[in-house]
Amino acid sequence: MSPGDVLGDAWQLYKRHWRHLLPIALAVYVLLTLFVLLLVALFGWFGVIAGVFVRIAGVFWLQGALVIAVEDIRDGRADLSMRDTLARVRPTMNTLAVAGILAAIGISIGLVLLIVPGLLLATWWLLIVPAIVLERRSTFEAFGRSRDLVRGSGWTVFGLIVLTFVVLLGAGIALGIVLGLALSPLPDALQQYLGDVISNTLLTPFIALAFTLAYYRLREVREAPVSTVADSLGDAGYDRPAGGV
């Protein structure tokens, strides 16, 4: 598995299916941010603290929905509606929330202590969302499953995380400049809210694409063959990148 190939495949699918992926991200982010704002307005500082956990859980809910969407479009077309996609992630929402909060706490502690443990945990646990949503693993099974898939490919997975971060950093800076100019006539609070929703809506599907495709690539490496992403892209009319799996 090459990080460059994974990101290349993710970009091809993003360009082809952005009309399907972005509305899912937008719907979840709008509902999530409004709920967090409501918590803060009703409960003050307690609402702020609760909102942090809700936001972490919400990020994993969105990732779960996008994982299902990515699994759906791997054959080159979108068969599920937004309602169908959200309905399929609903049974795993509690598991995603608990796993997301535990992962966030563990990685944060690791980063605060020595940095390296946090990066190691982020690498090992990269695939907990696909494990929960696509394999219906329990919370702790998902951590073990992700670790098992990453084993032997840790540096490659870490490279994918770094490369994805660099791409998103550049895209985020460019997007921030554009949004800053476009939203400048609005009040500061509204600018911040809209900027957050728009940027997350545009960028989060790419993250889900990259990490879900990595999940399938690693399954191909460690297990019996499953339908490959490269074949899916070929069926959709894309050229396979050189050096693919």
Side-chain angles (χ1 to χ4, degrees):
M1 183 184 80
S2 164
D5 288 348
V6 172
L7 291 185
D9 288 346
W11 177 239
Q12 293 292 342
L13 287 173
Y14 186 97
K15 289 192 297 183
R16 183 176 177 87
H17 297 287
W18 65 269
R19 293 179 183 84
H20 178 63
L21 297 171
L22 297 192
I24 296 172
L26 177 61
V28 175
Y29 262 115
V30 168
L31 292 174
L32 176 63
T33 53
L34 289 177
F35 183 63
V36 171
L37 290 174
L38 181 62
L39 286 176
V40 174
L42 292 177
F43 302 107
W45 283 107
F46 178 78
V48 172
I49 297 172
V52 170
F53 289 99
V54 170
R55 194 173 182 87
I56 293 172
V59 168
F60 277 74
W61 292 334
L62 175 57
Q63 287 289 325
L66 290 172
V67 164
I68 292 174
V70 173
E71 197 274 339
D72 177 36
I73 64 176
R74 286 175 66 243
D75 61 356
R77 65 179 187 274
D79 299 309
L80 300 176
S81 66
M82 182 191 301
R83 177 177 294 181
D84 293 334
T85 300
L86 296 178
R88 290 198 180 188
V89 78
R90 191 174 297 120
T92 64
M93 289 180 65
N94 290 338
T95 306
L96 287 169
V98 174
I101 291 171
L102 291 177
I105 292 173
I107 293 170
S108 297
I109 292 174
L111 291 173
V112 168
L113 291 178
L114 293 171
I115 297 180
V116 173
L119 297 177
L120 183 63
L121 292 178
T123 302
W124 285 353
W125 297 344
L126 184 70
L127 307 177
I128 58 176
V129 175
I132 291 170
V133 173
L134 299 179
E135 301 183 16
R136 290 298 192 264
R137 302 276 179 162
S138 67
T139 298
F140 294 105
E141 286 176 343
F143 284 97
R145 174 61 167 161
S146 179
R147 175 70 183 96
D148 183 59
L149 288 171
V150 171
R151 183 177 291 111
S153 304
W155 283 111
T156 302
V157 173
F158 179 70
L160 175 63
I161 294 173
V162 172
L163 189 56
T164 302
F165 174 79
V166 171
V167 170
L168 292 177
L169 180 62
I173 292 173
L175 187 59
I177 294 173
V178 173
L179 291 176
L181 294 174
L183 302 175
S184 59
L186 301 176
D188 290 344
L190 186 57
Q191 283 187 50
Q192 183 176 356
Y193 174 75
L194 292 177
D196 181 58
V197 170
I198 293 172
S199 60
N200 282 313
T201 296
L202 292 175
L203 298 179
T204 303
F206 183 77
I207 300 173
L209 281 163
F211 294 167
T212 306
L213 297 187
Y215 161 81
Y216 280 108
R217 291 286 181 92
L218 291 170
R219 278 190 59 182
E220 292 163 18
V221 171
R222 297 195 59 82
E223 300 178 347
V226 295
S227 56
T228 65
V229 173
D231 289 339
S232 301
L233 292 172
D235 293 341
Y238 300 127
D239 295 329
R240 292 188 184 186
V245 174

